[in-house]
Amino acid sequence: MSAIQPSLQQQVQSLYSEHHGWLVGWLRKKLSCPHGAADVAQDTFVRIIASRDALFGMREPRAYLSTTAKRLLLDRARRQILERSYLAELALLADSLPGAPSPDEVLMAVQALEQIATALAGLSAKARDAFLLHYLEEQPQAAVAAQLNVSTRMVQKYLVQALLACRHACPALAA
């Protein structure tokens, strides 16, 4: 690359320093949210940097930036509509199921999972791995033993250690 033609990094730096403030202000008017405006502005520059060809021959940087930002705003709006629709469907489904957990039940489950995670964090790596492989990935003890390079009997000891640690950490399990 010749010394006359600025490098890609210089072009990006120049585009950013000259137009970032303008773009954030323009987006703030559109969104009425300074944080959202900053996010979309950042995404706009990331998209332009990712398509390096856009930097070469850009005659109207503000027009290009605003067009890119508008497209990102449309993508964002579409994604929000999908998310709202999905959450509404989930809510309808949860209400229609007779066994849907109540918020209190969800809270108790999350607390129990946190207690189990704390209990597992206090174990050796092999005991923790044995527990996760056997109970979460549903691998038989022999497969866990082969993966951890220990005997099946040792896997059984690891599982007992993990279960005792979980029982000690979770009062609900002791009952």
Side-chain angles (χ1 to χ4, degrees):
M1 195 175 278
S2 69
I4 297 171
Q5 186 180 15
S7 71
L8 179 64
Q9 183 178 1
Q10 290 170 333
Q11 286 180 320
V12 169
Q13 186 176 6
S14 173
L15 181 69
Y16 190 86
S17 64
E18 291 174 15
H19 301 288
H20 179 264
W22 169 82
L23 183 61
V24 170
W26 183 80
L27 286 165
R28 191 177 295 146
K29 289 176 190 172
K30 293 251 183 230
L31 296 175
S32 301
C33 174
H35 302 294
D39 287 346
V40 174
Q42 191 68 24
D43 291 344
T44 301
F45 281 99
V46 168
R47 176 148 315 164
I48 289 172
I49 291 168
S51 65
R52 296 177 180 187
D53 296 339
L55 292 171
F56 297 112
M58 186 185 299
R59 294 191 180 128
E60 297 292 330
R62 289 188 177 185
Y64 195 85
L65 287 167
S66 62
T67 300
T68 304
K70 285 177 189 174
R71 290 179 182 155
L72 287 170
L73 288 172
L74 285 173
D75 291 346
R76 186 183 212 200
R78 286 186 196 117
R79 188 173 52 250
Q80 288 173 344
I81 290 168
L82 283 173
E83 287 174 0
R84 282 193 298 270
S85 298
Y86 179 71
L87 289 174
E89 286 297 319
L90 280 179
L92 286 174
L93 182 64
D95 290 342
S96 68
L97 295 175
S102 70
D104 289 339
E105 291 171 326
V106 171
L107 176 64
M108 288 188 326
V110 168
Q111 289 173 339
L113 287 173
E114 288 173 347
Q115 292 169 341
I116 291 170
T118 301
L120 294 177
L123 296 174
S124 69
K126 286 194 175 186
R128 182 175 46 255
D129 291 345
F131 179 88
L132 296 173
L133 290 169
H134 183 68
Y135 289 108
L136 290 182
E137 296 184 19
E138 298 178 349
Q139 292 187 14
Q141 291 179 5
V144 173
Q147 190 167 343
L148 296 179
N149 201 23
V150 296
S151 68
T152 304
R153 180 77 176 128
M154 197 66 219
V155 168
Q156 291 171 348
K157 287 182 180 181
Y158 287 148
L159 293 176
V160 168
Q161 287 174 1
L163 290 172
L164 287 173
C166 288
R167 184 175 183 191
H168 179 71
C170 304
L173 295 176

